[in-house]
Amino acid sequence: MTPPTDRCGHVTTSSGVNDAGAVCCYRPTWRDGDRCLWHTETVVPTPAYEEHVPAADERLDGANFREATLSDTSFLAGCSLVEADFTDAVLDGADLSETDLRRATFRDVDAHGTSFRGANLHDASFVFADLRGADFRDARLYRAGLTDVRLNLETAFGDRTVYEDEFDAASGNDVTARADSVQWVYRELQRVYDENAFPERVHAYYLREKDFRRRHAWRTGAYLRAIKLAGSRWIMHYGTSPWRVVATSLVLIVVCAGLYPLTGGVQEVGTDSAVTYAIEDPADTPGRVLVRAFLKSLYFSVVTFATLGYGDIQPVGQWARAIASVETLLGSLLMALLVFVLTQSVES
C-alpha cells in the first residue's frame, strides 16, 4: 500500500536484524520535502528535533542524522535507531543509553562524552570516530566495527561485558553463542586500545579474556584446557608476570627443602665421613638440629632446582630421590617459563 503524499513512506527493511523487521514510516513530511523530519536528506536544525521529541521506545529505524548537531541531547535515549546514519554528526555529551543502534553508522562522528550505556550496538560501525570519554558500559558490542577510532582513559567499556552475565545464565547452544560474543568483544577491545597506545587497558582485557576462557573450559567439560589455563593463571598470570614465576619457584624450593629431611634426608658426601641430615620426629628433634637439617636441605634444593648437580649432597632413600627428580623437572620447566615471560614482557 502506497502512503499518502503528505506521509513519509520511508521503508527500513532491517534485513538480517533479529526482532527488528521491516517498518514503513507514516509520519508527516517535514517542510516541503517528501520525507519526515527523521528521514529527510536535508540537515535538520537541533531545535526542530527538540520540537518533535519521540516517545522513549519509538521506532526511528533508518533515521538520517548526517551532519546533525545533537550535543547534550537526550531525546533519542531508548529509541529504536536500527540502521540509523550518524555520519559527520556532533554527538558530544548526548545520551543514547538503552538505544537500539544495530547496524547504525558512526563515521567521522564526534561522540566525545556520549553515553551508549546499555545500547545495542550489534553490527554498528564506528569509523574515524572520536570516542574520548564515551560510556559503553553494559552495551552490546558484538561485531561492532571500531575502525580508526580515538579513545582515552575516560572511555568506559566496563570491567565485564554484558555477554558474560548472559553466559552465566545461558544453557544449551546459547552457551557457545554467548561465549563467542564475550571472547570477540574482549579481543576487539584489546586491538582498539593497542591502536590507541594504552597498554594497561590491553593487559586488563587480555587477562579478562583468559579468565573467561578458563571459566568456559570448566563449564563445557574441557578439563584439560581448564587445568592448563588455571596453571598458567597462578604460575605466570597468563604469561604476563615474571614475578609470579619467581614466587612459584621459591615456594617449590622451600617446600622441597622441608620435605627432604622428612623422607630420608640428604647426605653430605664431600667431607671425610658422610653426614646424613634426616628428621624422624620433628617434635623430639632439637631446634638446632632442625635448623641445620633444613639449611642443608635448602642448599640441596636450590642446586637440584637449578640442575647444577654439584654432587656434594645427595638424597637418601627412594622418596627423597623421587622428590629430587620431580624438583629437577619442575625447575627446568619454571626456568623456561621465566625466560618466555621475560621475552614477552620485552616484546610488549
Side-chain angles (χ1 to χ4, degrees):
M1 177 179 177
T2 303
T5 56
D6 63 339
R7 296 292 168 173
C8 177
H10 181 275
V11 177
T12 305
T13 60
S14 302
S15 176
V17 180
N18 293 336
D19 304 322
V23 59
C24 178
C25 179
Y26 205 72
R27 297 178 183 85
T29 56
W30 184 64
R31 293 184 176 176
D32 296 328
D34 57 356
R35 290 286 185 254
C36 70
L37 173 76
W38 308 103
H39 296 110
T40 181
E41 294 295 325
T42 61
V43 177
V44 178
T46 304
Y49 288 126
E50 295 174 341
E51 291 173 4
H52 300 81
V53 175
D57 58 349
E58 190 165 346
R59 291 194 65 175
L60 299 173
D61 298 351
N64 179 26
F65 296 102
R66 296 175 69 93
E67 301 182 31
T69 300
L70 301 171
S71 302
D72 299 315
T73 58
S74 60
F75 54 80
L76 293 177
C79 292
S80 176
L81 293 169
V82 176
E83 296 184 358
D85 188 354
F86 290 89
T87 299
D88 292 316
V90 178
L91 300 174
D92 58 302
D95 183 5
L96 295 175
S97 58
E98 304 296 334
T99 304
D100 190 348
L101 292 163
R102 287 175 291 176
R103 291 192 179 179
T105 300
F106 297 87
R107 187 179 185 89
D108 292 304
V109 69
D110 178 4
H112 186 257
T114 302
S115 175
F116 295 96
R117 187 161 190 169
N120 190 345
L121 291 161
H122 185 97
D123 281 326
S125 175
F126 291 85
V127 182
F128 302 119
D130 184 355
L131 302 178
R132 291 175 298 169
D135 186 357
F136 289 93
R137 287 174 293 178
D138 298 324
R140 306 179 69 81
L141 292 166
Y142 181 53
R143 295 198 324 198
L146 299 170
T147 306
D148 294 316
V149 297
R150 188 177 182 185
L151 310 179
N152 62 6
L153 292 177
E154 283 69 49
T155 306
F157 289 95
D159 296 328
R160 177 184 172 98
T161 177
V162 66
Y163 299 110
E164 276 205 67
D165 296 327
E166 296 177 357
F167 170 82
D168 293 336
S171 60
N173 294 332
D174 285 343
V175 172
T176 300
R178 295 296 175 268
D180 290 343
S181 299
V182 172
Q183 294 174 61
W184 188 94
V185 170
Y186 286 143
R187 286 195 299 268
E188 184 70 0
L189 292 179
Q190 291 171 54
R191 181 190 63 79
V192 173
Y193 273 114
D194 184 55
E195 290 178 352
N196 283 266
F198 291 114
E200 65 281 0
R201 292 291 176 88
V202 177
H203 177 71
Y205 284 115
Y206 169 78
L207 296 180
R208 191 68 205 176
E209 180 198 354
K210 290 295 186 180
D211 273 336
F212 176 77
R213 285 178 178 271
R214 175 178 52 82
R215 291 176 52 223
H216 181 230
W218 282 119
R219 181 166 181 181
T220 56
Y223 298 121
L224 185 60
R225 187 192 313 161
I227 292 171
K228 178 182 176 182
L229 287 168
S232 175
R233 178 192 183 195
W234 291 110
I235 295 173
M236 56 180 178
H237 214 193
Y238 302 119
T240 65
S241 176
W243 296 111
R244 284 207 179 189
V245 182
V246 172
T248 303
S249 301
L250 292 176
V251 169
L252 176 64
I253 290 171
V254 172
V255 169
C256 289
L259 290 175
Y260 287 129
L262 301 174
T263 55
V266 294
Q267 188 177 70
E268 191 172 19
V269 297
T271 58
D272 295 336
S273 59
V275 179
T276 301
Y277 299 92
I279 299 173
E280 294 183 0
D281 187 356
D284 294 334
T285 304
R288 292 176 58 187
V289 176
L290 287 174
V291 172
R292 186 171 178 80
F294 176 75
L295 291 177
K296 290 293 182 180
S297 296
L298 182 62
Y299 166 75
F300 173 71
S301 184
V302 171
V303 171
T304 302
F305 178 89
T307 65
L308 296 176
Y310 290 143
D312 53 339
I313 295 183
Q314 299 175 356
V316 178
Q318 60 179 359
W319 288 110
R321 286 194 292 270
I323 293 172
S325 299
V326 172
E327 185 179 10
T328 300
L329 293 174
L330 293 178
S332 300
L333 175 61
L334 287 169
M335 285 191 289
L337 286 177
L338 181 59
V339 173
F340 167 75
V341 175
L342 288 173
T343 303
Q344 291 289 99
S345 300
V346 171
E347 291 179 351
S348 60

